[in-house]
Amino acid sequence: MTTLRSLAMGTALAALCAATASAEVKVGMITTLSGGGAGLGIDTRDGFMLAIEGAGRDDVEVVIEDDQQKPEIAVQLADKMIQSDKVDVLTGIVWSNLAMAVVPAATAQGLFYLSTNAAPAQLAGAGCNPNYFSVSYQNDNLHEGAGAYVTKAGFTKPFILAPNYPAGHDSLNGFKRFYEGELAGEIYTTLGQTDYAAEIAQIRASGADSVFFFLPGGMGISFLKQYADSGVDLPLVGPAFSFDQGILQAVGDAALGVKNTSSWSKDLDNEANTAFVAAFQEKYDRLPSIYAAQGYDTANLLLSAIDTAEGDADAFRAALKAADFASVRGDFSFAANNHPVQDIYVREVIKEGDVLTNKIVETAIEDRDNAYLDECKM
């Protein structure tokens, strides 16, 4: 069979087969399906596969593996998928330190990488690549929206914290890029940390008037529960990752009323999103998260490019860039460095019946691209 990978790498076999075989695409999904970050990867997988299965396609094969949130495991899986499984496209990585371990080597070998989540600054700037597309955002974006919101809301001394890994640094850099004012404090926590007593004590003593935090997955659950029990009564602001569906159900009513920023919400009023939310709930009996939405969009972008490219790698790349698919986010396009141009919203945590969820209350930034376009030389 002719694959995009073989065409991209220019093999003689591809040329011999091209006239007689239809194009088929093999996708390798490396994501986190165990440990404290499992919920993020499960939602990514489920959103992606909802689109693939819903399309009824027989020309796409998806190989799914658990990276255990470990860079070395992610590298081993990528090597296996490239060398043994012969995938054309890699996708699915949640964590930016894992993306930095996998993506540059994969794209250097001619593979395409479509990011469902992790989008570190290094891959948007000097490390950009024509075969790397972030379908989610650029890491800084949602945090930039939070900085803009905190400024508009009139807070003047936020305390900010995030884990000490690439996305954590992107988070606080993004917040500070759009926040106009003084900080009460800024700290990086340990990735995977579960005890935040020391950090909450620092917040209490800092004189802050608000707290911005980025702590996805189990980290966010631990922090929010401990913060609620601490008696520190300062307003919280965070990105969607700190208030996704899994975290909200674990934390409970302590999250009610909290503002968070996102490029997607289940109440976005467009046909694709309405259909996605309904289909996800029907199939999985839970509300989708931003991770599921991004996985779903990534799969639909992939399918749109396959239909246009007909097995040609250059045409496939151009079709990805065109982004001719119905995004659950509504208007969607790629900037010059293959990262989205999209609106960033402010959401509020609410309760619908017995279920905590989010609703959009305003737009933080319209048509945001990213801060690294000038550094990308492709």
Side-chain angles (χ1 to χ4, degrees), residues 138-312:
Q138 193 281 315
N139 272 0
D140 303 21
N141 288 159
L142 273 58
H143 317 282
E144 292 172 335
Y149 167 74
V150 166
T151 299
K152 182 179 177 181
F155 297 114
T156 57
K157 288 190 68 177
F159 192 105
I160 64 176
L161 67 157
N164 188 14
Y165 80 120
H169 289 268
D170 289 344
S171 167
L172 299 193
N173 288 337
F175 180 90
K176 291 184 288 185
R177 187 174 296 119
F178 277 74
Y179 168 67
E180 301 170 5
E182 178 185 355
L183 294 176
E186 175 181 357
I187 53 176
Y188 289 101
T189 62
T190 302
L191 186 64
Q193 182 173 327
T194 57
D195 183 353
Y196 292 95
E199 288 78 9
I200 292 170
Q202 286 182 258
I203 293 168
R204 188 192 302 274
S206 70
D209 65 358
S210 55
V211 178
F212 167 79
F213 74 103
F214 164 56
L215 293 167
M219 293 180 288
I221 293 171
S222 296
F223 175 80
L224 280 170
K225 286 183 173 180
Q226 292 164 40
Y227 187 85
D229 290 341
S230 73
V232 177
D233 192 23
L234 297 175
L236 291 170
V237 179
F241 323 112
S242 298
F243 298 93
D244 70 25
Q245 287 303 132
I247 288 179
L248 290 179
Q249 306 325 308
V251 170
D253 289 353
L256 277 171
V258 172
K259 302 297 195 301
N260 61 95
T261 48
S262 184
S263 56
W264 172 84
S265 187
K266 74 175 183 64
D267 58 327
L268 272 175
D269 187 14
N270 65 71
E271 185 177 345
N273 194 47
T274 300
F276 160 64
V277 173
F280 192 94
Q281 283 188 278
E282 181 178 355
K283 184 172 179 64
Y284 301 115
D285 195 29
R286 67 182 191 274
L287 287 172
S289 68
I290 188 172
Y291 304 101
Q294 291 165 174
Y296 187 82
D297 265 0
T298 301
N300 280 320
L301 171 67
L302 171 69
L303 294 173
S304 73
I306 292 170
D307 289 341
T308 301
E310 298 183 348
D312 179 79

Side-chain angles (χ1 to χ4, degrees), residues 1-9 11 14 22-29 59-63 78 80-91 106-107 109-114 131-132 302 306 311-313 316-317 320:
M1 69 182 67
T2 305
T3 67
L4 289 167
R5 180 170 182 262
S6 61
L7 284 168
M9 301 176 80
T11 64
S22 61
E24 184 169 323
V25 175
K26 196 169 189 179
V27 179
M29 173 172 280
D59 56 347
V60 180
E61 179 184 352
V62 185
V63 179
K80 168 188 170 291
M81 288 179 173
I82 294 169
Q83 302 301 327
S84 300
D85 296 325
K86 306 296 184 185
V87 301
D88 306 289
V89 177
L90 286 172
T91 191
T107 54
Q109 295 178 69
L111 273 79
F112 289 89
Y113 189 93
L114 307 183
N131 284 2
Y132 170 75
L302 171 69
I306 292 170
D312 179 79
F316 182 70
R317 188 180 301 107
L320 290 172

Side-chain angles (χ1 to χ4, degrees), residues 313-334:
D314 290 336
F316 182 70
R317 188 180 301 107
L320 290 172
K321 188 78 168 188
D324 186 16
F325 74 105
S327 171
V328 298
R329 287 166 274 181
D331 292 340
F332 181 96
S333 61
F334 283 113

